[in-house]
Amino acid sequence: MEQEAERKAFARAWGYLNYNAVAKWSALAAAVVTGVLYVVLLAVLWLFADLVVSHGQIPPYNGLLPGEQAAFASKWAEQGPQGLKDLGLESSSYEKLTPEQIRALPPRQKEFLWRTYLYKLLATHVGGEAGAVAIPAFAELPPAEQERVLRAWRKHGEVAGTDPRLGLLQDQETGAGIPPDRTAALLQADPAVLKEADLEAVWYAHLYMLFNARAQQEGSRTDTDLRDEMFQRLQAYAEGTAASKPVLDNTGVLPLVVRTHLRSPISGPVAATLARWNPWMWKHGNITYLTGLLIIGVVLGLLRAVASYLNHEMAARAVIEASTRLRRAVYHHTFRLGTLAFKALGPSEAVSIFTRHVEAVHDALYYWLTVAFREPVKFVLVLAFALVVNFWLALAFLLFAALVWLIGGQAAAYFRRRGRIAASQAAERLALIRESLMMMRLVKVYLMELFNQRRVERQLARYAQAQRLRYRGEAIYRPLLLCLATLAALVLLYVGGLIVLHGQLGVASAITLAAALVSLYWPAENFLEHRRFLRRGREAAVQLFAFLDRPGDVGQVVGAEFLPPMTRRLEFDNVSLREPGSNRMLLQNVTLTIQAGQRVGIIGPDDLEKHALVYLIPRFLDPTTGEIRIDEHNLRWVTLDSLRAQIAMVMQQDLVFHDTVANNIGCGDPGFTLPQIIEAAKTAHAHHFIQKLPEGYETTIGEMGHSLSVGEKFRIALARAILRDPAILIIEEPETPLDENTKSLLDDTFARILPGRTCIFLPHRISTIRSCDQLFLLHKGRIEAEGDHRELLAQNALYRHLHYIEFNEIAEQV
């Protein structure tokens, strides 16, 4: 039930984000983009690591790892024959080979199958141009195809003669290529007597002429590149440097396409699609590819930084708008709750809601828009990427992580609970020890040294036991978590090593997978570390909306009448009031009458009761029962503005506020001019010291402004009241003793402003009490007695008691 209430309250707070919906959704979108860009950076790391490891070389068949060879054999049995047909080669002898038969073939035949498979793979999944470069070597052709190539070579020689071929096979400027005598031997020799290297040269020359003719006819860049590749191979043959080479060299991302296609049904198509959409990643060589990766990495890093900034900036804007509106709602609602005026320190509950609770909601909303939304998205995306790189190893990591959490996490929670209990017990024992130390006088007087020493020893032993339990829990669960995590990491490393050694995972993929799995820790850690903000925010939201949902205590009825200035009397008719929240009776059946122009004083031992009585006059709160009337007008049926325009209050908790002196007196009302403010200050005897302030009436005073004495603050508050010329003046005198000069100035001010004006004092000076026309003694919520000072002093024992307790110490100062 409590969690449901917290959830609903926080959902209401979340709704305030819609006041800046653009910022809210921008923050959420930026959070998603941040996670996506992080995964893309991991992908760039994968591409970079693969390029460094493979050097952009697609290996020959004997360069494949055992696992890759087995994977190729399985794939050839499914897809290989079509590759032969795409090359225009006879394929009958290779069409129905099983994986076991492929592994039993001689090396050259397996190499032929591998290269044919590469042609089909790259042509189908990457593009025709990439597939065209995966041409089998001559020795890899079936015998019938070898014979066909040699017949075509001889026919070409008979038709074209020797010279054109020499131009093709030897660079006229550099002299590089196959020497003429070697070319003639290749043209006329019987295939049966040609060496293996010579047959390869014939095959390269045949392909050279084929690609050259196509390049001249169609202008294809791919055919031109293939022609140049064949010429380089012929040069290597002529120079005697022909050696075992990769099937394809300097091909950028193609090695990754090939290896992932063998290893993973998920990452293979992804890599092939990436290569097909970005031909620059393999067409222009490794350097171009590496440079492109650098540029992409830099751009992605900048974009991720921008997205992270936008996430925080937009979240801040949305949350600030929401918290500002919540604070505005608290501010306005505070003035609808008259109960807050009865607190000893003013609206302290509203201040707590306005500051601490709204700030907690603010932090929780900000956490939700940034960490709580971004990190799970990032975690899911990184996990999906890890599954793409290697599904089974990533799944094993997840299972081990879940195992560590189930065992270690629950054990840690158990020991943390025990640790908290032990800490609480230790605090209790320590409190008892402090009590024993405070018994010094009692122990000495009653000769309890041995008894108290035994008590302290028992308490120390129990305190030590509680502390041992506390630290034992920490000593167990932390190493347990570390041990489980270490074991899981070691097992994962072992499994990963087996997968790498069996060719199911390349070195580059292993590096990338490790980086991705390690990256999962930070979103989880960040999310869990900041959950306390969400918990506090939910708890604060309950308090916040409980405050905002509280109905107002005072309202203005429809058709309320205007209250004219008081001319006759103020009446309390059988008024009772319960203290808000506690149901304590502050006032019980209070009946009193204050005549217009009369000076009265409210005396009593309980300040809260006296404040309650005077706060009912401006309707900070309505009485529980009874009526309050001004000139026969019930205050419930008059407008609040017309009522409060007749009342001025000078209370000790509201003397000055942080602003200029002029605004403190005029309250920022443009209807009061500076000369009027100065005149009011002169009447209150405040003008003299105000002129001596650093900036006069523009000096900032209050809690964070220029410091004033209690007497100076009181006179500024009096000037504020005088400026409004109220019909009813309520004054609470300072409890702090005042100097003689200040007292004389106040007496002069009262003598000038009070005649003809109704004044209600909460007095703290005997001279004020004596000057009152009538005193009301308020005790336990009732009017205990009324009369002037002499009458009450002579007739009421309670008044005499209060007089000598409260006023006797300062009687000599009056």
Side-chain angles (χ1 to χ4, degrees), residues 76-77 80-81 84 91-99 101-102:
W76 176 267
L84 292 173
S91 58
S92 58
S93 59
Y94 297 102
E95 283 185 353
K96 297 181 180 181
L97 292 175
T98 65
Q101 291 172 331
I102 292 175

Side-chain angles (χ1 to χ4, degrees), residues 98-119:
T98 65
E100 292 74 15
Q101 291 172 331
I102 292 175
R103 284 193 287 269
L105 289 175
R108 289 191 176 276
Q109 290 179 319
K110 286 189 285 190
E111 188 70 31
F112 167 70
L113 294 183
W114 169 240
R115 296 188 182 216
T116 305
Y117 174 77
L118 286 180
Y119 173 85

Side-chain angles (χ1 to χ4, degrees), residues 43-69:
V44 172
L45 171 65
W46 189 13
L47 298 176
F48 175 79
D50 177 78
L51 178 61
V52 172
V53 172
S54 69
H55 298 281
Q57 299 174 350
I58 299 179
Y61 179 84
N62 59 9
L64 298 177
L65 297 173
E68 294 172 335
Q69 292 180 349

Side-chain angles (χ1 to χ4, degrees), residues 4 18 35 48 57 98 126 140 174 193 225 230 238 272 288 305 370 436 446 474 546 590 648 666 682 742 767 787:
E4 180 68 15
N18 292 325
F48 175 79
Q57 299 174 350
T98 65
V126 179
E140 298 153 0
T174 64
V193 299
D225 293 340
M230 295 304 106
T288 300
T370 53
S436 297
Y446 290 96
E474 293 182 359
V590 171
K682 289 180 178 179
T742 300
S767 62

Side-chain angles (χ1 to χ4, degrees), residues 162-163 165-167 169-170 172 175 177-188:
T162 302
D163 291 339
R165 235 182 328 273
L166 292 177
L169 302 181
Q170 189 174 29
Q172 299 299 322
I178 303 178
D181 56 342
R182 196 76 178 115
T183 303
L186 291 175
L187 288 173
Q188 299 172 4

